[in-house]
Amino acid sequence: MFKYFLTILAATSALARPPRTNDRCQASLGGGGFSNVGPFTLAAVNQTREVSQRAGVPLHLSPSVSRNDSEYRSIATNKAYPYIEFPEFRLVDGGLIGVNNASTGVGAAAVDVDAGHALTFQVSHNKLLPDRVFCAVVGTSPAGGNPIYPLLAVEDDVQNFTLCKAHARADGAPLDVVVYKASANVTDEYDHESCYGVYIQLVPTQPY
C-alpha cells in the first residue's frame, strides 16, 4: 500500500513538511519524496503492524556483519546492540549519514547498498562518499491513516527491508541487523529463515 504514499502529510502530522526544492526523489515518488531531511533517529516496525500509530524498535550502528574491518558498521536493533555511537542521522542529497559524533569527531555514511546484504556504513574522520540512493517518503494512504513518521526508501522502494539474525554476535547473542532484499543465497552474513519484513522509520529528533 505504500506505493500510495505520494501526498504530503497534513500540518498536524508528526513531520512538518520540508521545503519544496528541485528534489530528485520527487521524480520517482512525487510530492511525497525527499532526498534532504533530518535530523532523525532510525527505527524498524514490522510490516504486519500499523505504521500510522507507533514507532518501531530503535536502530543503532553495530559492528559490521559483512566486513571484517573496524571502519564499517551494520544497523542492528537496540535490543541486540544497545550502544549509541551516532545519536542522529540525516538524508543529504539522498545519502544517509550519521551526524558527526561530538566526542570522537568521526562521521558515518551508508555505502555500497547491495541487494541481499546488510546495510553498511563507513565511519571515518575523513570526508565520506555516501551511496546517494535513499529517499524519505511521507504521505497518506487511501486505506486510511497517516504514517506517524516518514519511511526510508532505496530509490522508490520501502518494501524490501528486513530484520535478520546475523551469524555475528555481540554480548553473546546474535545481532538482529537490517538487510536490503534478503536472499537465501547469502549464507555468510545472516540466517535467511529468521528474516522478516520491516519498514524503516525516520523519527525526528526536532521539528523539520
Side-chain angles (χ1 to χ4, degrees), residues 1-5 49-51 140-143 159 199:
M1 67 180 179
F2 286 91
K3 290 291 184 182
Y4 296 105
F5 282 179
R49 296 182 180 174
E50 177 56 65
V51 299
T140 58
S141 166
Q159 300 279 6
Y199 297 114

Side-chain angles (χ1 to χ4, degrees), residues 123-134:
V123 299
S124 177
H125 289 277
N126 301 318
K127 184 178 180 179
L128 295 165
L129 298 175
D131 239 359
R132 300 189 186 280
V133 297
F134 294 100

Side-chain angles (χ1 to χ4, degrees), residues 9 12 17 20 27 33 36 49 53 55 58 63 68 95-96 111 113 152-153 174 180 191 196 199-200:
L9 288 179
T12 55
R17 184 170 68 187
R20 286 189 177 275
N36 293 281
R49 296 182 180 174
Q53 300 297 325
N68 188 21
L96 179 57
V111 295
V113 177
L152 184 68
Y180 180 60
D191 176 7
Y196 60 94
Y199 297 114
I200 305 301

Side-chain angles (χ1 to χ4, degrees), residues 124-168:
S124 177
H125 289 277
N126 301 318
K127 184 178 180 179
L128 295 165
L129 298 175
D131 239 359
R132 300 189 186 280
V133 297
F134 294 100
C135 295
V137 184
V138 298
T140 58
S141 166
N146 290 333
I148 189 171
Y149 302 118
L151 303 179
L152 184 68
V154 175
E155 303 297 353
D156 61 352
D157 180 14
V158 301
Q159 300 279 6
N160 282 299
F161 292 108
T162 57
L163 276 180
C164 304
K165 287 199 177 297
H167 300 311

Side-chain angles (χ1 to χ4, degrees), residues 112-119 131 154 157 160 179-183 185-186 189-190:
D112 299 333
V113 177
D114 192 8
H117 297 280
L119 285 188
D131 239 359
V154 175
D157 180 14
N160 282 299
V179 176
Y180 180 60
K181 291 187 175 179
S183 170
N185 294 324
V186 178
E189 293 182 21
Y190 53 86

Side-chain angles (χ1 to χ4, degrees), residues 43-87:
V45 61
N46 193 311
Q47 289 184 3
T48 64
R49 296 182 180 174
E50 177 56 65
V51 299
S52 67
Q53 300 297 325
R54 61 188 295 273
V57 59
L59 300 170
H60 306 313
L61 296 194
S62 72
S64 176
V65 304
S66 58
R67 302 193 186 196
N68 188 21
D69 189 321
S70 62
E71 283 195 355
Y72 292 93
R73 307 284 189 273
S74 297
I75 308 178
T77 64
N78 71 332
K79 182 177 180 180
Y81 197 79
Y83 311 106
I84 301 175
E85 185 176 13
F86 293 90

